[in-house]
Amino acid sequence: MKSHKFVETAKASLIGGRGGNGCVNFRREKGVPRGGPDGGDGGRGGHVLIQTDRNTDSLIALYYQPCRRAEDGGHGKGKQQTGRNGKDILILVPCGTEIRDEANRELLADLVAHGELFIIARGGRGGLGNCHFTTSTHQTPREHTAGEPGEEKTVRLDLKIVADVGLIGYPNAGKSTLLSVISHAHPKIAAYPFTTLNPIIGTLRFEPYTDITVVDIPGLIQGAHRGAGLGHAFLRHVERTRFLVLIIDMAGTDGRHPADDYAILMDELGRHSADLIRRPALVVANKMDLPAAAGYLPEFVQRTGIQPLAISAKNREGLETLKQALFDAMIKIRPPAQDH
Ligand SMILES: Nc1nc2c(ncn2[C@@H]2O[C@H](COP(=O)(O)OP(=O)(O)OP(=O)(O)O)[C@@H](O)[C@H]2O)c(=O)[nH]1
Ligand SMILES: [Mg+2]
């Protein structure tokens, strides 16, 4: 269905344009044998700019074109004409893009809101023309300066999706099914594990108050921190969320006990980041339409000490209660800290 590649990390080599050189020139006018210096300055080299854009959903642009160099500034000319500035390059990235120096991993920018603009590689300043070097004793200066080189940056970009709520669960637990019935998103749903390969965002409308964005990610399994299944790198996409929904297949469809699933999910979350297991969360028991679910539920409650919210995403049961719980949670929780 998806025709474009989803790229969530990219390396790029970005270079600002060189500044134009200052010019050496002397005025030549009829009847003025030795005109004064009138060499103009060089123009600034173009910047490489990065801007967040809510209509851009992956780093694909940098994946195909990882080396960018902005245009050089024009050289200065006679009659004090300044060279033109080099054209800037604007690279659009999704909201939630972190930019780090490739060499030392220093965080250069974390662009979250739509429209944030960051100059990643400045263009060099233009050089000075000889008209700047005149003094009372030095009337025919030939001095000028060359344009400065543009900045060169090798950076790594990482997308961490910006959403309010993250869906966590084993493959096949019904995360995508749930997203499809509480929002207008159309994630792929299938009875085999790892159907979801890329994060997908859905929006819940609570008119007239607010919107809640929910991100659906791939399934997490035991050993994900060692690379099992699809690994755990995709958990970055719930790092910025304020609230998690842990979805448990209460019917044990794939032959595991739901209480084990819960313990393993928490363990894998904790191994990815201690922050994630402390994040406010709601445990949801899905597939309650299947008879086995009623059998597993009491033992789940007893072993985990958690009374999950029972739903059937497939039959659209329990969804109003779930939506209300999300809404209440959003109101209670302060906006996310920007220090991830
Ligand atoms: N009986 C029943 N089946 C469900 C329910 N919710 C989801 N399913 C089924 O479970 C299977 C997996 O659903 P998905 O929504 O793709 O599961 P997922 O958690 O997104 O799986 P991955 O993307 O692989 O991690 C599909 O065959 C769904 O139809 C439910 O409430 N009841
Ligand atoms: Mg899925």
Side-chain angles (χ1 to χ4, degrees), residues 128-147:
L128 299 176
N130 67 336
C131 62
H132 294 280
F133 294 90
T134 324
T135 63
S136 54
T137 54
H138 187 47
Q139 295 289 320
T140 53
R142 305 200 64 83
E143 291 92 334
H144 67 288
T145 58

Side-chain angles (χ1 to χ4, degrees), residues 178-201:
L178 177 61
L179 189 72
S180 74
V181 294
I182 59 174
S183 77
H184 292 295
H186 297 289
K188 190 172 165 192
I189 294 166
Y192 53 82
F194 305 117
T195 306
T196 301
L197 298 175
N198 304 317
I200 293 165
I201 301 179

Side-chain angles (χ1 to χ4, degrees), residues 175-176 188 195-196 216-217:
K175 300 178 294 301
S176 302
K188 190 172 165 192
T195 306
T196 301
D216 173 28
I217 58 171

Side-chain angles (χ1 to χ4, degrees), residues 26-312:
F26 296 94
R27 254 194 320 273
R28 286 178 215 291
E29 286 169 43
K30 254 197 211 150
V32 184
R34 273 196 344 205
D38 72 349
D41 300 340
R44 167 177 75 69
H47 299 318
V48 182
L49 305 153
I50 292 191
Q51 187 170 35
T52 44
D53 170 39
R54 63 165 75 91
N55 297 316
T56 299
D57 66 355
S58 100
L59 297 170
I60 189 86
L62 283 164
Y63 179 83
Y64 286 120
Q65 235 187 312
C67 297
R68 304 283 185 93
R69 191 179 198 289
E71 193 183 34
D72 292 343
H75 299 313
K77 293 185 200 140
K79 297 190 186 161
Q80 297 207 17
Q81 292 180 76
T82 304
R84 58 169 170 66
N85 288 339
K87 276 201 202 84
D88 296 339
I89 290 180
L90 180 65
I91 300 170
L92 295 180
V93 297
C95 297
T97 298
E98 262 186 16
I99 306 171
R100 289 179 186 273
D101 185 301
E102 169 70 4
N104 60 15
R105 294 289 150 122
E106 183 199 344
L107 184 65
L108 303 175
D110 186 14
L111 309 176
V112 176
H114 171 74
E116 278 188 67
L117 188 65
F118 181 67
I119 303 181
I120 184 81
R122 283 185 175 277
R125 280 187 302 191
L128 299 176
N130 67 336
C131 62
H132 294 280
F133 294 90
T134 324
T135 63
S136 54
T137 54
H138 187 47
Q139 295 289 320
T140 53
R142 305 200 64 83
E143 291 92 334
H144 67 288
T145 58
E148 292 174 1
E151 274 185 322
E152 287 196 40
K153 291 272 173 65
T154 303
V155 293
R156 184 193 151 103
L157 295 95
D158 280 291
L159 171 60
K160 290 183 176 182
I161 280 183
V162 182
D164 299 310
V165 176
L167 301 183
I168 304 283
Y170 252 80
N172 276 344
K175 300 178 294 301
S176 302
T177 308
L178 177 61
L179 189 72
S180 74
V181 294
I182 59 174
S183 77
H184 292 295
H186 297 289
K188 190 172 165 192
I189 294 166
Y192 53 82
F194 305 117
T195 306
T196 301
L197 298 175
N198 304 317
I200 293 165
I201 301 179
T203 304
L204 270 78
R205 288 260 130 90
F206 283 93
E207 281 167 29
Y209 315 105
T210 185
D211 284 350
I212 297 178
T213 49
V214 179
V215 60
D216 173 28
I217 58 171
L220 194 61
I221 62 171
Q222 185 162 30
H225 66 282
R226 282 185 269 108
L230 293 176
H232 68 113
F234 57 79
L235 286 176
R236 80 175 75 203
H237 296 303
V238 298
E239 282 175 18
R240 294 188 200 271
T241 61
R242 304 184 247 174
F243 192 77
L244 300 178
V245 172
L246 269 72
I247 302 174
I248 309 289
D249 177 347
M250 196 50 68
T253 321
D254 290 337
R256 298 174 314 269
H257 195 291
D260 293 337
D261 281 7
Y262 175 76
I264 291 166
L265 289 175
M266 290 303 280
D267 182 57
E268 293 292 339
L269 277 181
R271 287 173 189 268
H272 178 81
S273 125
D275 253 14
L276 282 184
I277 39 173
R278 286 198 296 267
R279 188 116 344 144
L282 175 69
V283 180
V284 168
N286 190 29
K287 307 201 184 180
M288 291 306 292
D289 57 289
L290 296 175
Y296 279 120
L297 186 58
E299 192 183 330
F300 180 89
V301 174
Q302 192 234 326
R303 277 178 55 189
T304 63
I306 291 166
Q307 185 70 53
L309 182 79
I311 67 163
S312 165

Side-chain angles (χ1 to χ4, degrees), residues 288-289 310-320:
M288 291 306 292
D289 57 289
I311 67 163
S312 165
K314 194 170 171 187
N315 292 353
R316 301 178 177 232
E317 281 160 12
L319 301 185
E320 286 313 312

